[in-house]
Amino acid sequence: MISLTLALLATLLLVAVPGFGAEEVKIVGRDFSFEAPVILRAGITTFVFENPGAVRHEMIIIPLRHGVTEQQIAEAHKAGIPLRKQMEQCADGEALGILLAKAGQNSSGKLLVDLIGGRTYLLLCQLEDPQGMPRHNVLGMYKTFKVE
């Protein structure tokens, strides 16, 4: 009876507490690149964002259309295609969330995302520091990861 009660309590905690039991993935935003896993597992995932760089960064997660590759994203940046146009061509819906981190700090929050198997996602920073300089994504601050 006690083991049944404990099993029910554990199940309720997993359902009632968002992120409890979710895989936690650390993304590191450097000046001007991301360090992130190439492949993640499908399911509820908690993202944390660390910025050891000298300027503030953001981490935006965007689902990509099927078949879109990081190479295509790189070519679009090199060709000078505006980000809005790239997202119209490559994104599959809206951004799933964003984390911000000041220089040398971690983001103050975490981002909970339900990753779908068979999909590719884009990590992107589009801030510009200082004002008037190229956006971070133009400087190479983007990366894709696949979900299995």
Side-chain angles (χ1 to χ4, degrees):
M1 183 67 167
I2 292 176
S3 60
L4 179 60
T5 303
L6 289 175
L8 284 172
L9 181 59
T11 302
L12 287 173
L13 282 173
L14 286 172
V15 173
V17 181
F20 187 76
E23 180 178 4
E24 186 168 286
V25 176
K26 178 173 74 170
I27 307 295
V28 179
R30 301 204 178 273
D31 301 338
F32 296 91
S33 64
F34 285 108
E35 288 178 14
V38 176
I39 298 173
L40 292 173
R41 287 192 307 245
I44 303 294
T45 305
T46 301
F47 287 89
V48 296
F49 185 48
E50 177 183 309
N51 177 10
V55 297
R56 68 189 176 120
H57 291 297
E58 65 185 355
M59 179 201 75
I60 304 171
I61 300 179
I62 302 168
L64 294 177
R65 291 184 180 174
H66 290 285
V68 173
T69 65
E70 187 168 334
Q71 181 63 33
Q72 290 171 297
I73 301 290
E75 289 170 2
H77 278 89
K78 288 177 187 170
I81 297 173
L83 184 61
R84 184 179 305 265
K85 180 93 169 159
Q86 287 182 46
M87 292 303 98
E88 288 172 5
Q89 296 172 348
C90 301
D92 188 13
E94 299 293 320
L96 300 177
I98 182 171
L99 291 173
L100 295 163
K102 293 179 182 177
Q105 296 184 16
N106 295 340
S107 60
S108 59
K110 297 179 180 186
L111 180 61
L112 193 66
V113 177
D114 188 6
L115 297 176
I116 299 169
R119 300 295 308 264
T120 300
Y121 294 82
L122 175 67
L123 298 173
L124 178 73
C125 177
Q126 63 175 359
L127 296 179
E128 54 182 337
D129 287 308
Q131 195 73 16
M133 295 298 290
R135 292 188 179 275
H136 295 183
N137 58 299
V138 174
L139 299 172
M141 197 159 182
Y142 53 86
K143 184 172 182 70
T144 60
F145 63 88
K146 295 183 182 201
V147 177
E148 294 182 344

